Amino acid sequence: MPPIVAVVVTYNRKDLLLECIAHLRAQEFPRSLAEGVPASWESQLAIMVVDNASTDGTREALQPLIEEGVIDYRNTGANLGGAGGFNYGMREAVKAGYEYCWVMDDDCMPHPDSLQGLIDAHRHLGGQYGYLSSVVRWKDGSICKMNVQRHPLTRNIEDFSRALQPCTLASFVSLFVPCAIIREVGLPIKDFFIWTDDWEFTRRISRTHDCYVVGGSVVTHASANNGAGTIVDDVPERLDRYRTVYRNDVVLYRGEGLVGYGYLAARGLGHIYRVLRHSPDHKLKKVGIIVSSNVAGLRFHPPIEFVDGEGE
């Protein structure tokens, strides 16, 4: 069994998924996890596709790769959201006996040396880290705004030229995590459904382990746009999505105690001010979403599940 498994979560994006798999199969391995040992991608990397019950023919498109043994296909049976998909995939990867999970969405396109950069960092650190996060660029080569890591908790990292730098929060677009760490801290919170699941999970790790952004590992995020919208200027049909964002963020930041609650209060007031000052329409609805979703977050206590236990 290869020591590393790429866990790719997908839902109704078969063309992007096939491209992602092609990029994974194109990984170059001049060196493996063992010092100085040449390796092919097949000897170091397995590919697990976690399908959130796609209805666009994803299963049929993957059939040749399944039959060839190129991928391990898992269908969750329902749309569990990104959070549920990563919870499912990481659990199955750990239970299967892999040593490391390389986690990504289906629109993450690793460069040929992306995994090698992570492996080099792993060896440099002697395996002593909580997770490693790649530099994420958009299709035009600029930094992908929605995947900018943070360090410390509330400050975006701006300089990605460093070989290694500390990381507090990171996304699930190319995250390299030892399975021993997943066993220790638990799985992503599936009840989040979408948004904040990656930040909460990576913060859970960075509270007790040194974590890093790896400058030598770069991936491309083939998202439709470079950056997520905000409640201030997003289109009306997307506004209800922000109920999940604000609710889940309360769970993340309240883990920081008074500092976290202070940040939530300041951010909430700042967002309300910007809505009232700059939003072109639906101002009252937007303010209502901010307030009610933060209140809902205070009552929201989803369990953290563990691979070998029921949850805490």
Side-chain angles (χ1 to χ4, degrees):
M1 172 185 289
I4 306 166
V5 60
V7 176
V8 186
V9 175
T10 190
Y11 179 67
N12 282 349
R13 296 198 296 194
K14 63 182 179 183
D15 291 336
L16 284 168
L17 173 63
L18 289 169
E19 188 177 354
C20 172
I21 293 171
H23 281 269
L24 287 170
R25 298 181 73 184
Q27 291 301 293
E28 299 171 353
F29 287 94
R31 294 177 304 280
S32 70
L33 285 165
E35 181 74 29
V37 178
S40 62
W41 78 264
E42 296 97 333
S43 68
Q44 291 296 299
L45 179 65
I47 302 173
M48 179 186 294
V49 173
V50 178
D51 183 1
N52 266 328
S54 295
T55 57
D56 67 342
T58 290
R59 176 66 172 76
E60 292 75 13
L62 294 177
Q63 186 60 36
L65 298 176
I66 297 170
E67 293 177 354
E68 294 170 21
V70 172
I71 64 169
D72 178 3
Y73 175 81
R74 309 290 183 100
N75 193 308
T76 62
N79 181 10
L80 307 179
F86 286 116
N87 173 294
Y88 180 101
M90 289 190 205
R91 182 193 301 274
E92 293 303 305
V94 174
K95 288 170 61 177
Y98 293 103
E99 297 177 54
Y100 302 91
C101 277
W102 187 19
V103 181
M104 64 192 71
D105 289 310
D106 52 13
D107 58 356
C108 173
M109 306 301 164
H111 297 189
D113 59 352
S114 296
L115 186 51
Q116 185 61 62
L118 296 170
I119 288 174
D120 289 345
H122 163 89
R123 289 168 51 202
H124 176 78
L125 295 166
Q128 300 302 305
Y129 57 87
Y131 63 77
L132 304 174
S133 178
S134 298
V135 175
V136 185
R137 297 192 178 275
W138 195 54
K139 292 178 288 189
D140 64 359
S142 62
I143 291 295
C144 193
K145 297 174 184 177
M146 71 176 70
N147 304 117
V148 171
Q149 297 91 339
R150 283 189 177 183
H151 184 77
L153 184 69
T154 60
R155 182 176 299 175
N156 286 348
I157 292 175
E158 297 179 355
D159 179 9
F160 290 94
S161 65
R162 298 167 59 184
L164 282 174
Q165 60 181 310
C167 184
T168 302
L169 303 177
S171 78
F172 282 155
V173 178
S174 190
L175 188 77
F176 190 81
V177 191
C179 289
I181 295 292
I182 299 172
R183 282 191 180 276
E184 176 188 329
V185 306
L187 298 158
I189 297 176
K190 67 181 182 183
D191 291 341
F192 276 6
F193 193 73
I194 58 169
W195 291 355
T196 315
D197 52 316
D198 46 8
W199 278 19
E200 190 282 330
F201 177 73
T202 55
R203 179 53 180 151
R204 213 186 310 153
I205 297 172
S206 67
R207 284 195 182 104
T208 54
H209 297 272
D210 293 331
C211 303
Y212 301 91
V213 176
V214 181
S217 177
V218 181
V219 300
T220 295
H221 191 180
S223 55
N225 302 292
N226 187 7
T230 69
I231 197 170
V232 176
D233 53 16
D234 215 338
V235 294
E237 53 268 27
R238 286 174 52 90
L239 292 182
D240 284 335
R241 294 165 59 94
Y242 291 92
R243 298 184 189 278
T244 304
V245 179
Y246 288 108
R247 181 199 67 177
N248 293 348
D249 277 0
V250 171
V251 178
L252 165 64
Y253 288 107
R254 74 180 175 213
E256 308 301 319
L258 291 177
V259 172
Y261 282 112
Y263 174 77
L264 286 168
R267 189 188 68 161
L269 290 172
H271 286 193
I272 289 171
Y273 171 79
R274 287 198 290 276
V275 165
L276 295 176
R277 183 72 183 271
H278 301 294
S279 284
D281 50 28
H282 297 85
K283 293 184 179 182
L284 290 180
K285 179 176 181 178
K286 292 174 181 178
V287 170
I289 288 173
I290 294 171
V291 174
S292 64
S293 301
N294 274 278
V295 172
L298 295 173
R299 300 193 297 263
F300 185 44
H301 295 276
I304 295 172
E305 297 179 338
F306 288 79
V307 174
D308 298 317
E310 290 299 320
E312 291 186 357

